[in-house]
Amino acid sequence: MPPAPGQPPLSAEDLGRLPEPVRDELLAPDPAVIDTASKELRDGVNRCPKCGSTEVRHRTGSDRLVCLYCRHEWAATRVEEAFGLGEGIAELRGTQMASGARDIDADAEALRSYKCAGCGAEVVINTATAMTARCHWCRHVLGVNEQIDNGAVPDAVLPFHITKDDAVARIRQFVNKRRLFALKAFKDEFTPENVVGVYLPYMVVDARGSADAAGAGEIQTRRYTRKVGKSNQTFYDADVWRVQRHVDFTVDDLTLESSAERGNLDTRRNTHNVINTILPFDTKNAVKWNASYLVGYTSEKRDRDVAHLMPRLQDQMLSIARAQMEPSVARYNRGVRWEQERLNLQGTRWVAMYLPVWLYAYQEPGKGGGLLHYIAVNGRTGETMGSVPVQQWKLLLAALSIGTVVEALALWFIANAG
């Protein structure tokens, strides 16, 4: 007989025998969903509030939208202000998720059909490749603004501030500083104008947790040198102490990749890891989802759910806890060796968000398909990092030359000292 609604599937006695993490997971409440859907845009039409035109675009360099017909501009609503997503982190309990962060339905269709509000025609949008389309009869622009189950529509979007021309200049400057050792084919084919603006899917997480750690800390009491064989060796005496620490902490707007491909940091195949080096993004300024922000840019669909990302979150939370404990163990000048660690994740809140990145890619030929190099520019701050394929023989020659010079200088100093 199944348990009554709201009752655990096991008896209290059985639950008492389970390990505490398993018991906590079984007793945890079901995830609470925060509805962030834009009800006013569900028909796919984003109209200018002044003239009613659907020719709406993102005003480059700002978070505003502009009507291409009457030139009226208006500010979008920040998602934190609209839904209170920046509040109550210290009181979080269980798992909360915004509606755009709900689990993906593997059978959800990518095609979405909309009835044009201008002429009544049916317009089909393939969310795998685009988020907007133009009615072929009356030229109205329609966008996918309803939150669908295939992960294509997040809760919020952080608009581009860095223009394409600015991104091209930053990428060109980045490569020019590294041209000396760059692969000849890369230099010949380098075309920064081919940079692409892409919205990448992330989960932005607020979390509340506590952590405990235990280990051994050493305080140095004496340092001395002894002759061992023909050489001198340094020895230390230290007092060893048992160390225990507990910390309660919260995390605000931690960003996690929600694309399996971008989260794959296999450096033998790609240099996706450069995208992490251009963090952070000013996620506090993210606005409510509106497909008009994606016009002129590409986007990648989320394919990871909260359950997939939970281990990554726990790992990062534990790293944050260690950093929180660090100042309290400064007196152990020989360091602390943590032998036991435990994280208690008390509450989380998940928001699906598109973050802006300019990407330049180059495929370096080689075994197994070669290596895909990326140069990335943060679409908000302009922070730039990347990977440039290099001529190995040039690096080897430079290393040998520097080694020869250092050796010559060392011999000169020895000779003059004598």
Side-chain angles (χ1 to χ4, degrees), residues 13 21 146 153 156 211 294 302 349 369 386:
E13 183 179 352
E146 62 172 326
V153 178
L294 268 67
R302 171 174 70 91
R349 180 166 56 209

Side-chain angles (χ1 to χ4, degrees), residues 115-126:
K115 189 170 185 176
C116 177
C119 66
E122 290 289 330
V123 178
V124 176
I125 302 177
N126 184 356

Side-chain angles (χ1 to χ4, degrees), residues 47-209:
R47 295 185 181 276
C48 170
K50 186 174 182 180
C51 72
S53 169
T54 60
E55 294 287 346
V56 177
R57 296 291 186 275
H58 167 224
R59 167 66 75 186
T60 305
S62 74
D63 296 337
R64 301 172 69 83
L65 294 172
V66 58
C67 173
L68 301 185
Y69 184 75
C70 71
R71 313 309 297 177
H72 175 65
E73 294 185 24
W74 65 99
T77 306
R78 292 183 181 178
V79 70
E80 281 202 355
E81 296 170 358
F83 303 106
L85 297 177
E87 304 169 358
I89 301 177
E91 288 77 42
L92 282 175
R93 180 173 176 79
T95 302
Q96 300 179 21
M97 60 180 72
S99 49
R102 288 177 298 188
D103 287 356
I104 296 170
D105 181 358
D107 297 324
E109 295 289 338
L111 297 179
R112 282 293 184 272
S113 179
Y114 294 90
K115 189 170 185 176
C116 177
C119 66
E122 290 289 330
V123 178
V124 176
I125 302 177
N126 184 356
T127 61
T129 57
M131 298 302 289
T132 59
R134 188 182 292 275
C135 175
H136 47 282
W137 292 107
C138 70
R139 310 300 291 167
H140 262 321
V141 178
L142 290 91
V144 181
N145 290 305
E146 62 172 326
Q147 290 178 338
I148 53 183
D149 295 335
N150 66 358
V153 178
D155 301 292
V157 57
L158 187 62
F160 275 88
H161 270 196
I162 299 296
T163 65
K164 181 174 182 177
D165 289 342
D166 191 357
V168 168
R170 291 171 186 271
I171 292 172
R172 193 183 298 278
Q173 182 183 41
F174 180 87
V175 171
N176 285 342
K177 291 180 178 179
R178 295 157 178 82
R179 291 186 73 89
L180 179 61
F181 298 105
L183 199 68
K184 184 179 185 302
F186 172 80
K187 291 187 287 187
D188 293 341
E189 299 168 12
F190 177 58
T191 313
E193 290 75 17
N194 291 341
V195 64
V196 176
V198 56
Y199 281 104
L200 297 179
Y202 280 80
M203 287 286 200
V204 178
V205 189
D206 297 333
R208 177 172 74 99

Side-chain angles (χ1 to χ4, degrees), residues 226-233:
R226 285 179 179 171
K227 194 168 188 64
V228 179
K230 295 183 178 180
S231 61
N232 292 328
Q233 291 189 13

Side-chain angles (χ1 to χ4, degrees), residues 24-40:
D24 291 345
E25 184 174 349
L26 286 173
L27 295 175
D30 292 334
V33 177
I34 304 166
D35 186 6
T36 62
S38 298
K39 297 177 176 60
E40 68 277 12

